[in-house]
Amino acid sequence: MDILAELAAVLEHRKTQPPESSYVASLYARGLDAILKKIGEEATETVLAAKDGVPDKIVHELADLWFHSLVLLAHQGLRPEQVLAELERRFGRSGLAEKAGRSRAESPPNPEPAADPAPASGRDSGPT
Ligand SMILES: N=c1c2ncn([C@@H]3O[C@H](COP(=O)(O)OP(=O)(O)OP(=O)(O)O)[C@@H](O)[C@H]3O)c2ncn1[C@@H]1O[C@H](COP(=O)(O)O)[C@@H](O)[C@H]1O
């Protein structure tokens, strides 16, 4: 069993445990906002570590971020394999190509052709 699946199984089991028994159980008890707050903090710490450029710190903070992302997945009834499957689905598709396809799909249809403009001659402009 790989570490993601192993950890996901532990995170699932923690749903049955009392909050005082473990860190993950206490996060579940504090609810979605507490989990999201941790993800925000860990994302910020990852950014700071990357700016410092210390490889061990980057790995440490990213592990914290991934871990709390796994807690979020479990809290939402989702599994890491679903994220892995999405990455597999995207594999080999250039990000630039994906973005270009997306903006075509999102752009509104061509507008109706404009009505004929009023004649420039002034013939139909009525009495002067
Ligand atoms: N991988 C992790 C893991 N990574 C980080 N953390 C915890 O995440 C917490 C938050 O990290 P911070 O750096 O923000 O530390 P902090 O400022 O003290 O945290 P807060 O006070 O803000 O909550 C710390 O308590 C870390 O120990 C983790 N806690 C648990 N796991 C895994 O989850 C399993 C279940 O954990 P428990 O539910 O605690 O048994 C463990 O066996 C591990 O495999």
Side-chain angles (χ1 to χ4, degrees):
M1 198 190 256
D2 67 49
I3 185 62
L4 285 182
E6 221 167 342
L7 189 47
V10 171
L11 299 182
E12 204 51 42
H13 182 254
R14 289 294 186 264
K15 291 179 180 177
T16 66
Q17 306 295 301
E20 60 280 8
S21 68
S22 94
Y23 174 69
V24 174
S26 74
L27 256 188
Y28 288 147
R30 284 151 59 204
L32 178 62
D33 283 358
I35 297 170
L36 297 178
K37 185 163 176 275
K38 286 308 296 179
I39 290 179
E41 285 172 15
E42 303 305 351
T44 302
E45 283 167 20
T46 299
V47 169
L48 295 175
K51 293 294 280 182
D52 286 348
V54 180
D56 284 355
K57 263 175 88 177
I58 297 172
V59 170
H60 181 95
E61 297 303 345
L62 266 177
D64 279 350
L65 180 57
W66 286 19
F67 166 70
H68 285 91
S69 300
L70 290 169
V71 174
L72 173 66
L73 278 176
H75 181 266
Q76 297 295 298
L78 297 165
R79 289 170 292 114
E81 303 92 80
Q82 289 172 268
V83 178
L84 296 178
E86 176 63 15
L87 288 173
E88 272 181 36
R89 189 187 68 76
R90 296 178 189 182
F91 187 74
R93 179 156 195 213
S94 145
L96 292 178
E98 185 277 331
K99 193 168 182 179
R102 196 182 343 139
S103 52
R104 263 197 302 280
E106 284 167 3
S107 60
N110 285 338
E112 290 294 312
D116 284 344
S121 65
R123 266 183 297 140
D124 298 330
S125 57
T128 53

